[in-house]
Amino acid sequence: MAELALDKPRAPRRPAARRSNFELYSWLFMRLSGMALVVLVLGHLFIMNILDGGVHRINWGFVAGRWASPFWQFWDLSMLWLAQLHGGNGLRTVIDDYARKDSTRFWLKMLLYVSMVLILALGTFVIFTFDPQMDMRD
Amino acid sequence: MSTSTTSDKPTSVWGSHESQPPVPDGAVSVTVKLLRFNPEVDSEPHWQSFEVPALPTDRVLNLLHYVKWYLDGTLTFRRSCAHGICGSDAMQINGINRLACKVLIKDLLAKKGKPTTITLAPIKGLPVNKDLLVDMEPFFEAFRAVKPYLITYGNEPTRERIQSAADRERFDDTTKCILCACCTSSCPVYWNDGSYFGPAAIVNAHRFIFDSRDEGAEERLDILNDAEGVWRCRTTFNCTDACPRGIEVTKAIQEVKRALLFKRV
């Protein structure tokens, strides 16, 4: 800024108020996560529904086998987080657009954020603590 | 020509057959369906229809003049130059934002001589004062907020501020704006209660942000980076479709987004 100050002697030190870049990053996140989700979700659907007999072979053992590999754990974890944040951010803008009263907007967003946190926490918990031996202990 | 109205007012109060001009050769009768609202009488807007003789070469504004001058003098609408420059007479014509002075009747006539109804309503998203007249203040407030004037620092040049043709070309499209509010009032994000700047304000910010002689780009970009700024744009292209000057509004908004994203004008 030093040479700028010389260049523009009457320029305000801080141009306007320092605003946050949150909306910029959320806009960018929607595009990037959208592209990643196309690969992740279509890959997931292909594996689950089409490959090797599709949905009929899915059972406890199949899921246990997949989650034994850190690769599929990471795949499902990133799918969960990206889809949840992508969808949640989308709903946030929908609420901003359509809620007419500030109180409605506030409570709808609270409901949204709480459900997002619950689903993220539960999903992450299951992926990391899944025990393939669980059915044998009964 | 008589009125077929939903109100009980007789036509003769405002104009009689004798006071109307002769119907020219080649004129067809069209129904003009107007969304009327008188804040002193009505609790909410209501539709009223008038039968008006129109030449195919007439503009919608001519029909409004006919209604106001010969059928119902209480009809209220804005118009100044009547030639698509002042941007006063933006309204919804058959549900699409257009300038009444630029739309020809021949483009609205029903096919094969079927009866024609032309629907006219005020532009959306701005408070209606009366009939087709809206309060433009929220629109101009957003326009002023982006500092739509030349900002420079340092010493003024002795002669004019010189600019290359290529530099001028960068913002040529957005200099065409006449502030009619067709774009802003066609934007679904602007219709809600929020305080989104709207396409027109962004277009006018673009005109200065990409001007090589201007030094206020950073300030304006900061303003448009706000929660109510360019990131609320959903690229629905309603604004581009609505612009009577053919400005590529959505493209201009995207260019502002890109400037913010890559921190480069």
Side-chain angles (χ1 to χ4, degrees):
Chain A
M1 284 306 279
E3 72 272 288
L4 274 180
L6 270 179
D7 199 27
K8 307 172 182 176
R10 282 179 290 132
R13 265 288 134 93
R14 274 170 174 278
R18 200 68 258 164
R19 287 170 167 88
S20 96
N21 279 326
F22 177 77
E23 292 295 330
L24 187 158
Y25 290 129
S26 85
W27 184 89
L28 194 60
F29 172 77
M30 291 306 265
R31 268 97 200 134
L32 297 178
S33 61
M35 284 191 287
L37 280 168
V38 168
V39 178
L40 290 170
V41 172
L42 288 183
H44 178 82
L45 287 174
F46 181 70
I47 293 163
M48 292 314 222
N49 297 325
I50 295 167
L51 216 60
D52 300 337
V55 75
H56 303 294
R57 84 209 133 117
I58 296 179
N59 53 24
W60 181 275
F62 179 77
V63 176
R66 282 186 85 220
W67 276 352
S69 146
F71 176 78
W72 294 115
Q73 272 191 330
F74 177 73
W75 183 297
D76 282 4
L77 191 73
S78 38
M79 201 162 63
L80 170 74
W81 276 79
L82 290 180
Q84 191 60 224
L85 294 176
H86 184 97
N89 193 35
L91 269 176
R92 180 183 70 89
T93 56
V94 170
I95 292 170
D96 272 342
D97 276 2
Y98 285 91
R100 300 217 168 177
K101 287 194 293 182
D102 280 346
S103 55
T104 323
R105 185 173 289 127
F106 175 81
W107 287 113
L108 282 175
K109 277 191 184 175
M110 279 303 121
L111 186 68
L112 173 70
Y113 295 152
V114 168
S115 55
M116 276 171 75
V117 167
L118 282 178
I119 292 169
L120 279 176
L122 181 67
T124 311
F125 178 76
V126 168
I127 290 174
F128 280 124
T129 61
F130 181 77
D131 179 4
Q133 306 298 319
M134 218 181 320
D135 57 335
M136 296 181 184
R137 290 201 198 111
D138 294 328
Chain B
M1 287 294 125
S2 64
T3 54
S4 64
T5 70
T6 51
S7 76
D8 303 318
K9 261 177 219 155
T11 314
S12 56
V13 173
W14 306 107
S16 63
H17 288 270
E18 290 75 42
S19 67
Q20 288 166 23
V23 176
D25 287 341
V28 287
S29 182
V30 299
T31 307
V32 179
K33 193 177 162 200
L34 289 156
L35 192 60
R36 303 292 306 267
F37 175 66
N38 180 354
E40 290 171 0
V41 181
D42 305 324
S43 56
E44 55 187 80
H46 60 93
W47 294 98
Q48 187 177 6
S49 295
F50 297 91
E51 290 294 324
V52 178
L55 287 168
T57 50
D58 273 344
R59 301 155 303 160
V60 171
L61 185 63
N62 296 101
L63 305 192
L64 285 169
H65 280 154
Y66 191 94
V67 172
K68 184 166 178 72
W69 293 344
Y70 306 116
L71 302 178
D72 186 348
T74 65
L75 177 68
T76 305
F77 57 92
R78 240 188 224 111
R79 68 104 174 81
S80 291
C81 79
H83 289 82
I85 297 299
C86 71
S88 298
D89 58 355
M91 58 189 69
Q92 290 186 71
I93 299 171
N94 288 344
I96 301 167
N97 285 3
R98 291 284 183 269
L99 298 181
C101 57
K102 284 191 82 174
V103 177
L104 295 180
I105 301 305
K106 65 175 180 182
D107 296 326
L108 302 175
L109 288 176
K111 288 195 181 81
K112 290 173 195 154
K114 284 183 197 155
T116 304
T117 302
I118 297 171
T119 312
L120 302 176
I123 46 177
K124 266 193 197 180
L126 292 164
V128 176
N129 282 348
K130 193 183 175 195
D131 296 339
L132 301 175
L133 188 90
V134 297
D135 179 9
M136 298 282 278
E137 185 46 32
F139 173 79
F140 286 120
E141 191 273 324
F143 170 65
R144 287 192 299 268
V146 300
K147 308 188 179 183
Y149 39 80
L150 185 78
I151 298 176
T152 59
Y153 301 102
N155 298 323
E156 278 179 28
T158 323
R159 310 285 297 264
E160 71 270 34
R161 297 174 194 275
I162 295 169
Q163 183 169 53
S164 72
D167 279 344
R168 177 64 171 71
E169 187 59 32
R170 290 193 72 196
F171 62 94
D172 184 65
D173 201 31
T174 44
T175 60
K176 297 175 194 160
C177 180
I178 55 173
L179 294 171
C180 64
C182 272
C183 60
T184 294
S185 59
S186 74
C187 175
V189 181
Y190 190 80
W191 293 337
N192 82 60
D193 282 342
S195 46
Y196 175 48
F197 282 107
I202 300 172
V203 159
N204 285 280
H206 176 285
R207 183 252 170 273
F208 286 99
I209 289 169
F210 294 94
D211 187 336
S212 62
R213 299 163 296 186
D214 185 271
E215 292 167 25
E218 208 182 330
E219 297 167 42
R220 295 194 192 90
L221 286 172
D222 247 9
I223 293 164
L224 293 177
N225 196 25
D226 194 31
E228 301 297 344
V230 287
W231 306 113
R232 293 210 74 181
C233 167
R234 305 276 185 281
T235 51
T236 57
F237 284 89
N238 280 16
C239 47
T240 307
D241 287 343
C243 182
R245 307 281 295 169
I247 301 172
E248 292 176 288
V249 183
T250 316
K251 187 182 169 198
I253 299 175
Q254 290 300 100
E255 283 174 2
V256 174
K257 283 181 190 167
R258 198 176 303 138
L260 276 166
L261 203 56
F262 298 109
K263 308 217 183 307
R264 189 178 60 211
V265 173

